[in-house]
Amino acid sequence: MTTDTEHRKRALRAELRERRQNLTSSEQEHASAGLTENLQSLTLALSARSVACYLSAPSEPDTRPFLTWARAEGIRVLFPVSREDGLLDWTVGEDGVELVGMFGMPEPSGELLSPLAINDVDLILVPAAAIGRDGMRMGWGKGYFDKTLGSMEKCPPVYAVVYDSELVDDVPRERHDQPVNGVVTPDRIIDF
């Protein structure tokens, strides 16, 4: 049975997907430049030497320029790789090859590290559909990051990466949803 919260999430996700698809290429380029600068600032402010981050899909805020910078700075980057059991494996993507993962999302190819590999990072950057002003994250509905964050004993700072318009007053919340410590958008970094 579908709950009212699930209906509200589904409607909000559809609206956000459409908004992302309607961004012009110049809006995307502007967002990419601002986001890269803010992700670099956050990484430097936290003195992070190891970061968990995802390869952005075409409709998502672009993490690739930041990832290029991080590698050039000698920062170790762990990328999530989806598993059928709902957990995430991790890889440093040493093959330099990009594959299409289980849900059509880009994932790097490389030696798979266990779900526990994320316990060694200084900063976790996660995708999101929207973030509430209270720090609640609404993902895209698969629950991978909620499971990962919910199972960590000692979690480093977690920041969601979204467009500015996706920071909203509040998001529908279910018991398994995990909050984040902050949000990075093209225009700002906000700590909760």
Side-chain angles (χ1 to χ4, degrees):
M1 191 167 108
T2 309
T3 66
D4 178 52
T5 302
E6 289 171 317
H7 280 301
R8 289 179 30 232
K9 279 185 170 183
R10 201 171 293 144
L12 183 54
R13 285 184 187 116
E15 178 188 325
L16 293 167
R17 248 187 221 104
E18 186 176 336
R19 239 191 266 166
R20 283 184 175 187
Q21 288 165 348
N22 290 331
L23 287 172
T24 67
S25 57
S26 71
E27 286 171 324
Q28 286 175 326
E29 285 169 27
H30 171 75
S32 179
L35 183 69
T36 301
E37 192 176 304
N38 286 338
L39 288 171
Q40 290 170 347
S41 296
L42 176 65
T43 303
L44 293 170
L46 294 174
S47 302
R49 298 307 305 152
S50 183
V51 176
C53 187
Y54 59 99
L55 286 174
S56 53
S59 66
E60 291 180 306
D62 191 1
T63 59
R64 283 173 170 74
F66 164 73
L67 294 168
T68 300
W69 170 83
R71 279 193 287 263
E73 292 293 309
I75 295 169
R76 182 174 186 251
V77 179
L78 278 186
F79 298 96
V81 178
S82 301
R83 295 178 9 170
E84 289 197 19
D85 63 3
L87 298 175
L88 292 171
D89 280 329
W90 299 89
T91 183
V92 293
E94 69 278 359
D95 296 352
V97 175
E98 216 173 280
L99 307 170
V100 176
M102 278 184 1
F103 302 103
M105 301 303 287
E107 292 180 351
S109 170
E111 179 188 346
L112 289 182
L113 308 172
S114 83
L116 298 177
I118 194 173
N119 289 317
D120 297 329
V121 300
D122 303 318
L123 169 64
I124 300 174
L125 299 170
V126 296
I131 299 294
R133 296 201 184 279
D134 60 353
M136 272 318 297
R137 171 185 173 273
M138 185 179 84
W140 292 104
K142 302 290 184 226
Y144 278 85
F145 285 100
D146 288 319
K147 280 184 195 131
T148 297
L149 300 175
S151 70
M152 293 181 75
E153 272 182 45
K154 188 174 148 266
C155 196
V158 179
Y159 282 75
V161 178
V162 295
Y163 289 109
D164 288 283
S165 64
E166 295 164 349
L167 178 60
V168 298
D169 288 337
D170 67 315
V171 295
R173 180 182 185 171
E174 293 175 277
R175 194 175 10 185
H176 64 268
D177 292 332
Q178 296 292 317
V180 292
N181 301 103
V183 64
V184 181
T185 75
D187 288 345
R188 55 201 162 163
I189 300 169
I190 297 174
D191 294 306
F192 296 118

